[in-house]
Amino acid sequence: MDGTDRADTTRPDRGERTWPRPPTRPLTTYALLGCCCLVFLIGPASGFVHSYGTGQALEQARSAYFERWGVVPRALLSGAARPLTTPLTALFLHGNWLHLLGNLLLLHVFGGLVEQRMGPARFVLFFLGTGCAAMLCYAVAHPESGEPLVGASGAISAVLGAFLRLSPHTRVTSLFPFLFFLPLRFPAWVVLLFWLALQWLAARQDGDGPGVAYLTHVVGFTLGFLYAWLRYRRARVTGPTPASEGETEP
């Protein structure tokens, strides 16, 4: 999916002079993308580091790696000190290439505009905070689970929620399997609410076993939307916001 956006403008206060905000590169978004890639490439899931072995040895190394750095709900809620850091470390782990590339695509498309609205420092704190909170909520909902939870999906879902609040009428190009993957353009609110509904339906089927932790997506999205709504409901945009990465404004 990709998108363009032109933010609404509001009338400045009497006597206040405003200028269009200059376009800036979303360097924090790029840095987060780079961190996710780097951590994946040096871990056993990528298959690039031969010291982890092959075959059964690689699978054992992968399981041990995720148990050490991922969120294991049973361990996180045990009261031990070491697992308390795992919600942060687990954000930058991914189970396989498909998991990684899916998250990178969403963050690349939607992260830039949200970063520009929030600012780099606030954006990275938002990303880390909502991601950790989403994982903690999953752990509380599945306290007996011994399966590691990894990935930036909760944080990226929060970015999607914030995008829905900050720029709901941005048009994004989407590919839907049931429409034969035809590239169609819809307002962001249509695409994101449809995505949220799918996550919610899937979360109701979540078990304690391995698989996609859809609950983290729902929690992250909700936290991101609520934060953006509370923080930016009175914010004033003084000029057009640059288009999302890869496109130009209409």
Side-chain angles (χ1 to χ4, degrees):
M1 291 186 291
D2 57 13
T4 61
D5 171 69
R6 183 178 293 273
D8 295 333
T9 59
T10 58
R11 182 175 299 173
D13 296 334
R14 186 183 300 273
E16 180 184 357
R17 190 175 187 182
T18 60
W19 298 91
R21 185 166 46 194
T24 58
R25 289 186 177 275
L27 298 181
T28 302
T29 299
Y30 293 162
L32 291 171
L33 291 169
C35 286
C36 289
C37 288
L38 178 61
V39 172
F40 180 79
L41 291 175
I42 64 177
S46 70
F48 285 164
V49 182
H50 299 298
S51 61
Y52 290 113
T54 59
Q56 187 64 27
L58 179 60
E59 282 300 313
Q60 293 175 351
R62 182 176 176 272
S63 296
Y65 187 80
F66 288 157
E67 289 179 5
R68 172 65 180 84
W69 300 108
V71 171
V72 179
R74 188 167 54 204
L76 180 63
L77 301 177
S78 67
R82 187 191 64 78
L84 295 178
T85 62
T86 56
L88 182 61
T89 58
L91 278 177
F92 297 96
L93 306 181
H94 289 85
N96 51 52
W97 282 98
L98 183 61
H99 187 198
L100 174 71
L101 294 176
N103 278 346
L104 293 184
L105 176 62
L106 289 175
L107 181 58
H108 174 71
V109 171
F110 293 100
L113 184 142
V114 177
E115 178 188 342
Q116 289 174 2
R117 295 291 180 86
M118 292 185 177
R122 184 174 287 114
F123 178 72
V124 73
L125 291 175
F126 165 83
F127 184 91
L128 298 176
T130 54
C132 290
M135 289 190 174
L136 179 59
C137 288
Y138 180 88
V140 171
H142 302 277
E144 299 302 320
S145 175
E147 292 292 333
L149 176 64
V150 299
S153 301
I156 293 172
S157 298
V159 172
L160 301 187
F163 192 99
L164 176 62
R165 166 57 185 167
L166 296 173
S167 193
H169 300 294
T170 296
R171 300 187 69 83
V172 295
T173 301
S174 306
L175 303 175
F176 294 99
F178 58 86
L179 295 177
F180 306 102
F181 294 97
L182 292 175
L184 302 173
R185 291 180 67 79
F186 297 98
W189 69 267
V190 173
V191 175
L192 294 177
L193 289 180
F194 178 76
W195 179 88
L196 179 62
L198 293 180
Q199 307 309 304
W200 170 251
L201 292 174
R204 298 183 64 180
Q205 309 300 321
D206 258 355
D208 290 339
V212 180
Y214 292 102
L215 180 60
T216 62
H217 302 177
V218 176
V219 172
F221 190 98
T222 303
L223 291 175
F225 181 86
L226 289 176
Y227 174 82
W229 181 74
L230 292 172
R231 175 65 178 80
Y232 296 98
R233 56 181 173 175
R234 294 188 178 90
R236 178 171 60 243
V237 179
T238 58
T241 301
S244 296
E245 188 69 21
E247 295 212 2
T248 58
E249 293 183 287

